[in-house]
Amino acid sequence: MAVPRLTATGLTNRQIGREQLLSVKTIENHLGHVCAKLGVLCRATLAAVLLETAGAAQRTSW
């Protein structure tokens, strides 16, 4: 799930593609599938969901 995490950090699709050695189109497709699964419509909401999920995971791990 590296692509959504990188998106949440504010990187563009092009920057993520360079870092992951993937095309911009592949990044777009991947994010489209992730957003559809999570029921979110934009990158900002995706970031919020990921942060919320990470926070919940940290709270339950102790």
Side-chain angles (χ1 to χ4, degrees):
M1 195 163 189
V3 172
R5 273 193 231 127
L6 292 171
T7 301
T9 65
L11 294 179
T12 66
N13 289 352
R14 183 172 296 209
Q15 291 168 325
I16 296 168
R18 284 186 189 142
E19 187 166 320
Q20 297 294 307
L21 303 176
L22 298 169
S23 73
V24 173
K25 187 65 177 168
T26 299
I27 300 301
E28 290 170 356
N29 286 335
H30 186 66
L31 287 175
H33 291 210
V34 171
C35 287
K37 251 186 190 180
L38 295 176
V40 299
L41 299 175
C42 67
R43 294 170 85 93
T45 307
L46 175 61
V49 168
L50 292 174
L51 288 172
E52 182 179 308
T53 303
Q58 286 180 346
R59 287 190 298 273
T60 59
S61 66
W62 37 293

